[in-house]
Amino acid sequence: MNYISRLINVIRDRSLSVEERVSIMFISVGVIAALVGELICVACHASIYSTISILFISITALISIGIGIRRADIDFIRIAMVIVVSVMIPVVFITAGGFMSGCSAWLIYELFYITLACKNRRLVLVLTIDGIVDVILMVADYLGAPFIYHLKTEQDIFISAFGSMIVVSLAILITVYFYKIIYNKERAYLQQHQIELEKANQFERNFLASMSHELRTPVNAIMGFNELILQADSLEKVGEHALDVKHSSELLMSTIDDILDFSGIELGKMVLEPKDYSLKELVISLHNMVSASAKSKGLNFSVDVDPNLPVVLNGDVKRIRQIILNLLTNAVKYSEKGNVIFSIGMNKRTSELNNDGMSPQTVGLVIKVSDEGAGISEEQQATMFTALKHMDEIKDQNAQGTGLGLTITKNLVDLMDGEIIVESTLGQGSIFTVILPQVIVSNDKIGEVVVQNNTNKEETDKTSEVENEIDNSNQFILVVDDTAINLKLMKYLLKNYDVTTVDRGAKAIEACQDKKYSLILMDIMMPEMDGVEAMKTIRKECYNDVPVIAVTADAVAGAREEYLSEGFDDYVSKPVKPDTLLSLISKYLQ
């Protein structure tokens, strides 16, 4: 049964050509035909040598198919059978009755298989040789050659001729029939594949057009406001334009993150990084991120949090923030008036066994984002989580955004074993509900959550606070980056430290040979020697007890895990956020 199932899989294998698959199928049908031929030889009293010859063909066919399938070498099967058929069919002609029998039909069978199995020069060569051999045998039989066995009675001749004609005709008809089936299936498959390819090409064109718009828009603002900063005649205008640059930079990074996340999803490299987090801090930060844009559009943005929720949970807070932020920004973007409500509650608590046999308490976190915007039609709801479809809708509506946010959101929710539900009516608004299982770390209740707008001053104070908390006495940091402007920026951000900067991996090794540093910030993509090689050389030739942090623009999904596996102590992606960088340095230089 295993032999037969493997044979069927080969015939169905679309990686093989139609000719290869039909050739294998014809050999299989030929084995059955040969076994019937054995019975015909017995019935018409042919010589024992003809029975042995046909049995040899059957056994050789089965062995060749088995070896070819095991070696995944279809050409081996075809060549082996061409040789066997070309040699043994003439032997059968000689031993089973010659021209005055059914052997002529088997000669036709031989030529049919050769035409099916061979092509180009091989086909011409084999057909020429076999044709000459067949003509010689027929002429020899006509001239009464004594080495050709003849059947004894007219009844034997009739059984041989009629039986062979039926068997060979059926074998050829079955082969042609299945050839048509396979051909039609392949044609339908190729037509469908062509349609999908055209859709993919259209998606790619829409995607590139959308990405070009979404990337160039903030870059244009950054360059324009930067020029205004250079021309500004007062500190007030400098501050105003700098804030515009900041907002445009954040928009640019959001677009880049969407592209990278979508790429990670397509490659199957999206992974979760669960950790303990404060639910209250998450809610407040999300409110602060969205409230300004909602206010600028005249929307009433409110937050409603169940006071009985646990205050500390465990999960991938970065991805949860991304899910909620995508829903909130969409609600604001597609609403012109009315309310946008962000609420968090819970639906149940359960216990699940983990690897050590313990039973952590989990809660179903219910996140709802509702708006009174344009709403979504049932047709759009059916395709809104599919990037290929949603990109077309975004293009048709001339809406802002990459069109990838909901696709990424759906994949993240699925990755967390959660659920996302959409309720919407055209002209009345939408409600997105996300349910995410989260591990409870603390059963203390969150209580009342008071939200207030965050300010840039508070962000600056937070960064300064982190910076001031660091004890930077006698702390030496080596920064390695091949871009001068990046070195200048890093030196300014780390102005309270003793910082050495170099622009090559080889120079970093020389610096480490002359002096021991407290921390090394290593760029990855550098000429001559990349950051990974430089880090490993420092570990081997200088010292291996100093933390080395990868600072890189490589931010695709799985990058962090890749660099940690290479031997880096930590990872931070560019563009570097000052508070993130200073907090990380504080962690290693305590």
Side-chain angles (χ1 to χ4, degrees), residues 154-282:
E154 290 185 1
Q155 181 179 355
D156 290 340
I157 294 173
F158 174 79
I159 292 173
S160 176
F162 182 75
S164 297
M165 182 190 71
I166 295 298
V167 172
V168 171
S169 297
L170 284 175
I172 294 175
L173 286 173
I174 290 171
T175 301
V176 173
Y177 176 74
F178 277 100
Y179 178 86
K180 291 175 67 176
I181 291 176
I182 294 174
Y183 174 78
N184 289 331
K185 284 185 176 180
E186 285 300 307
R187 185 173 64 176
Y189 172 79
L190 290 175
Q191 288 175 345
Q192 181 61 33
H193 183 70
Q194 181 65 29
I195 293 172
E196 293 175 356
L197 183 61
E198 290 174 358
K199 288 181 178 179
N201 289 336
Q202 183 61 41
F203 167 72
E204 183 179 353
R205 288 192 291 270
N206 292 346
F207 181 81
L208 291 176
S210 178
M211 290 308 103
S212 176
H213 174 268
E214 294 303 319
L215 292 172
R216 286 174 176 271
T217 297
V219 169
N220 178 69
I222 291 170
M223 295 175 67
F225 284 118
N226 188 62
E227 186 67 27
L228 293 177
I229 288 173
L230 295 175
Q231 299 174 8
D233 54 6
S234 69
L235 289 177
E236 183 180 354
K237 288 185 177 180
V238 169
E240 179 183 345
H241 297 326
L243 188 60
D244 291 327
V245 170
K246 179 178 183 293
H247 291 159
S248 297
S249 300
E250 290 171 349
L251 176 61
L252 178 62
M253 277 308 304
S254 175
T255 301
I256 293 173
D257 286 342
D258 276 354
I259 297 171
L260 294 177
D261 285 340
F262 181 70
S263 174
I265 290 169
E266 292 290 288
L267 296 173
K269 291 185 176 181
M270 185 71 73
V271 294
L272 298 177
E273 298 179 9
K275 65 179 181 179
D276 296 351
Y277 66 92
S278 167
L279 186 57
K280 180 178 290 188
E281 290 181 3
L282 173 63

Side-chain angles (χ1 to χ4, degrees), residues 87-106:
V87 173
M88 297 309 299
I89 293 296
V91 173
V92 172
F93 181 90
I94 294 172
T95 59
F99 186 77
M100 295 298 295
S101 68
C103 291
S104 299
W106 289 100

Side-chain angles (χ1 to χ4, degrees), residues 323 408-420 436:
I323 289 170
I408 295 168
T409 297
K410 179 65 167 63
N411 278 273
L412 289 175
V413 170
D414 290 344
L415 197 60
M416 296 180 186
D417 297 323
E419 182 182 6
I420 184 167
L436 299 175

Side-chain angles (χ1 to χ4, degrees), residues 28 39 85 207 275 451:
S28 305
L39 299 177
V85 169
F207 181 81
K275 65 179 181 179
V451 294

